[in-house]
């Protein structure tokens, strides 16, 4: 029973740490972050298993962590409101070519990060962007302004013969 309680507490602590770390932090992992996660895995294992390094205890802990992860995904599927709490919500970082500095500060996204993400999408100038959204998974989605014929609804566009 103690093993189950420790596993649940550590699982919830890890979930909380990932939520507090922020969306961009998870999406922008580098080599140091990978090493940190591997070390964290060892620390978590010690916290869950304490001095019981038996195969059965390890399998119980792995099974329980898997069940908790599946349980969270079922919660988000069954209860749409839980999705916002468990996985987070998208955040508008830029609208009509103007950055929302309050949102960027809250999400800890610098202008340099936003510009780099825009360049990765082939966008050269912030004025080209109609909307930039930081998704719950840390990716940035860009919606660019349409120009010329694309501004018209499909039924008004010239048809090729």
């Amino acid at each position: 029973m103690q093993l189950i309680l420790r596993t649940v507490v550590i699982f919830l602590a890890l979930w909380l740490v990932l939520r507090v770390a922020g969306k961009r932090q998870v999406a922008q992992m580098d080599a140091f972050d990978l090493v940190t996660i591997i070390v964290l895995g060892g620390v978590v294992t010690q916290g869950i298993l304490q001095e019981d390094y038996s195969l059965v205890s390890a399998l119980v802990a792995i099974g329980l962590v898997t069940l908790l992860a599946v349980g969270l995904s079922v919660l988000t599927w069954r209860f749409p409101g839980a999705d916002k709490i468990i996985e987070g919500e998208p955040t508008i970082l830029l609208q009509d070519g103007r950055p929302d500095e309050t949102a960027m500060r809250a999400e800890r996204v610098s202008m340099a990060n936003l510009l780099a993400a825009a360049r990765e999408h082939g966008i050269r100038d912030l004025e080209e962007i109609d909307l930039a959204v930081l998704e719950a998974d840390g990716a940035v989605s860009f919606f660019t302004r349409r120009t010329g014929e694309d501004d018209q609804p499909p039924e008004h566009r010239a048809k090729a013969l």
Side-chain angles (χ1 to χ4, degrees), residues 52-116:
D52 183 1
Y53 294 109
S54 68
L55 180 60
V56 173
S57 292
L59 292 175
V60 167
I62 290 169
L64 188 54
V65 166
T66 303
L67 282 174
L68 289 167
V70 169
L72 285 179
S73 68
V74 168
L75 269 175
T76 60
W77 175 69
R78 293 274 292 158
F79 304 101
D83 185 39
K84 294 175 185 174
I85 296 168
I86 293 171
E87 295 181 8
E89 292 183 279
T91 304
I92 296 174
L93 298 177
L94 184 138
Q95 194 164 10
D96 297 324
R98 290 184 307 273
D100 182 340
E101 293 181 19
T102 304
M104 290 177 66
R105 193 175 312 110
E107 295 294 347
R108 295 183 304 278
V109 176
S110 69
M111 185 57 70
N113 290 116
L114 187 61
L115 289 168

